[in-house]
Amino acid sequence: MSIRLYDTATREVRDFAPLEEGKAGVYVCGLTVQSEPHVGHVRSAVNFDVLRRWLTHRGLEVSFIRNVTDIDDKILTKAAAQGRPWYNLAYDMKRELDAAYAALNVLPPTYEPAATGHVPEMLELIEHLIAKGHAYAAEDGSGDVYFDVRSWPSYGELTHQRIDDMEAAEDADPRGKRDPRDFALWKGWKKATEPETAAWPSPWGPGRPGWHIECSAMAGKYLGQAFDIHGGGVDLRFPHHENELAQSRAAGHGFASYWMHNAWITTAGEKMSKSLGNSLLIPSVLERFRGIELRYYLVAAHYRSHVEFSFDSLEEAATGFQRIEAFLERAGAVEPGEVPDAFAAAMDDDLGTPAAMAVLFDTVREGNKATDPTGHAAAVRAMLAVLGLDPADPAWGPTGGGDDRMSAVVDALVSGLLEQRATARAEKDFATSDAIRDRLKEAGVEITDTPDGQKWSLA
RNA sequence: GGUGGGUUGGCCGAGAGGCGAGGCAACGGACUGCAAAUCCGUGUACACGGGUUCAAAUCCCGUACCCACCUCCA
């Protein structure tokens, strides 16, 4: 009956025991807002949205924090290349991201802190680390501050690596680092190349935060020094999460009890960040598929499984989902009921959405057989709701592909033709009957004959 | 060099010692004037080679190939 989750740190599925009974604190690394969101970015958000909804369904009061990194090297570089202020690029991309989340019914987090809004908290943490002997200001006058990995013996514990086995960072010249693996907590302002707006005052001179420190500072601020779950994409395990863990623990914080990482979604066997064109950007995908179909596609695979994206599989998934929708339409308006035990058991087992989906489809089949499908429909809606896939959720916007006035007009026009067709059929004049059906089909209206008479829908 | 993951039927995608997850597609049947939808039925898949076991896709050893991370990354 308890929820079990795979923890990257211990490499095993274990019972989820919250620090505080009945509550769960979850911190998920959001995005660096430097470019338009693609399918891969959104997978992470959807996966953790499902986690959040399931924890909530299980009666936990979830505090869900997802940050936004709105200042970093890439943002500065790209903005400069585009000839616009970095904060304008970051803000624009942030709005694109919000739109993508909304289109996929990703619930807004409890709070979404941005790095630039938490510089004081970061400075405080950095000073604390210096005071404890785990960080130092570079001696080359750059204004950088580094975390001293050699001062923290358990460095590498999250990803089970030993410092001496790691390749040294090649990116940066050693600058003022004591060890090449030391990472930046604070980056001194480079007057020559960086705008003044990208620098904040600090005890070491103007500069900006290093990447990792923001999460330690913000998680601490909103969830406390120790919290339950920290999530993100697999690529973040190292260095990002390893460094967060090191600096937080070195500062004396308990930090996260569980670490969860979602797997990649690739195209043509390649990581999306190296991506090919922009066909996988969310707005572009949404021109071909509805948000609910894309979400279904993402939820149907286990979050820790690598997914090879293709429009063919998305198409296939959409067809499968439409089967569920068609069942609900036939069943009529039903309030969500209880989730079947088998479904709950699947979800409890490290968010086993594939097995949960199997239960969902089994219920649909049973419902299609039943003379009164109400109970099955109620269960189906409950399962869909917890996966964020309930078609009746107002978050998906108006359904039916048009406003009410328009559909009333179409209905009036179509019913006239349907009456003619009914007459033809009654007289066994199937040539006329089929001609009417074909003509409507060309116009995009699909006719089906049911025991209750003819029904029409937009194709 | 270090660390982790993968290879399952035509396709997608679960499972982690015994009983064929589920979806898509295909084929046959029921229903239908014909369709659509729906239901019923049809598949001896687990990279390769050894081994352990009464029993292996699942455990062990070895091999091949693929992927990710090692300080920009969801």
Side-chain angles (χ1 to χ4, degrees), chain A residues 247-261:
Chain A
Q247 69 202 179
S248 295
R249 289 263 167 91
H253 301 178
F255 215 54
S257 312
Y258 298 80
W259 291 85
M260 294 178 70
H261 294 98

Side-chain angles (χ1 to χ4, degrees), chain A residues 24-39:
Chain A
V26 182
Y27 186 95
V28 175
C29 285
L31 292 184
T32 298
V33 281
Q34 43 109 359
S35 59
E36 289 89 351
H38 56 58
V39 175

Side-chain angles (χ1 to χ4, degrees), chain A residues 288-317:
Chain A
R288 300 171 60 177
F289 293 90
R290 292 176 294 151
I292 200 169
E293 291 168 338
L294 177 56
R295 183 175 172 112
Y296 168 78
Y297 176 66
L298 296 174
V299 168
H302 187 84
Y303 76 93
R304 283 194 286 120
S305 290
H306 165 109
V307 169
E308 169 69 16
F309 180 90
S310 78
F311 280 104
D312 284 348
S313 353
L314 176 52
E315 177 80 56
E316 195 180 273

Side-chain angles (χ1 to χ4, degrees), chain A residues 83-351:
Chain A
R84 56 166 159 168
W86 63 271
Y87 45 84
N88 175 247
L89 170 66
Y91 184 57
D92 261 7
M93 293 306 112
K94 164 76 168 68
R95 287 189 358 258
E96 294 265 351
L97 186 59
D98 286 343
Y101 288 154
L104 286 161
N105 195 14
V106 172
L107 294 171
T110 306
Y111 187 56
E112 189 172 36
T116 52
H118 297 78
V119 172
E121 287 84 353
M122 297 186 230
L123 292 177
E124 193 185 330
L125 187 56
I126 296 170
E127 294 197 88
H128 187 51
L129 285 168
I130 291 177
K132 294 191 79 165
H134 294 300
Y136 58 93
E139 282 140 30
D140 60 358
S142 60
D144 293 349
V145 179
Y146 296 109
F147 182 86
D148 183 352
V149 296
R150 296 282 179 191
S151 77
W152 188 245
S154 46
Y155 186 74
E157 61 183 316
L158 178 65
T159 50
H160 309 97
Q161 303 181 87
R162 296 176 332 127
I163 292 180
D164 294 317
D165 290 335
M166 292 176 194
E167 283 178 11
E170 289 173 27
D171 68 320
D173 50 275
R175 289 177 294 191
K177 288 186 183 182
R178 291 179 188 166
D179 185 288
R181 278 146 290 222
D182 289 350
F183 57 90
L185 298 170
W186 186 258
K187 297 184 168 187
W189 181 36
K190 295 182 196 65
K191 254 183 204 167
T193 54
E194 296 178 358
E196 198 174 351
T197 50
W200 287 259
S202 86
W204 316 282
R208 59 189 166 90
W211 178 30
H212 320 295
I213 196 71
E214 62 177 272
C215 292
S216 289
M218 297 190 291
K221 175 155 183 159
Y222 299 106
L223 296 172
Q225 296 191 349
F227 57 96
D228 298 301
I229 300 171
H230 191 128
V234 274
D235 57 319
L236 297 181
R237 283 180 311 193
F238 193 90
H240 188 51
H241 288 167
E242 190 73 73
N243 291 352
E244 279 182 45
L245 180 64
Q247 69 202 179
S248 295
R249 289 263 167 91
H253 301 178
F255 215 54
S257 312
Y258 298 80
W259 291 85
M260 294 178 70
H261 294 98
N262 66 274
W264 288 109
I265 181 156
T266 58
T267 37
E270 268 190 273
K271 227 170 122 163
M272 272 193 193
S273 55
K274 293 171 189 164
S275 122
L276 335 149
N278 54 9
S279 65
L280 299 167
L281 297 181
I282 299 304
S284 159
V285 175
L286 291 179
E287 280 172 20
R288 300 171 60 177
F289 293 90
R290 292 176 294 151
I292 200 169
E293 291 168 338
L294 177 56
R295 183 175 172 112
Y296 168 78
Y297 176 66
L298 296 174
V299 168
H302 187 84
Y303 76 93
R304 283 194 286 120
S305 290
H306 165 109
V307 169
E308 169 69 16
F309 180 90
S310 78
F311 280 104
D312 284 348
S313 353
L314 176 52
E315 177 80 56
E316 195 180 273
T319 307
F321 186 71
Q322 284 158 22
R323 187 173 136 81
I324 300 170
E325 288 182 298
F327 164 68
L328 285 179
E329 259 169 56
R330 251 175 271 123
V334 180
E335 286 306 302
E338 292 293 311
V339 142
D341 291 346
F343 179 90
M347 291 299 285
D348 277 346
D349 185 12
D350 194 31
L351 304 180

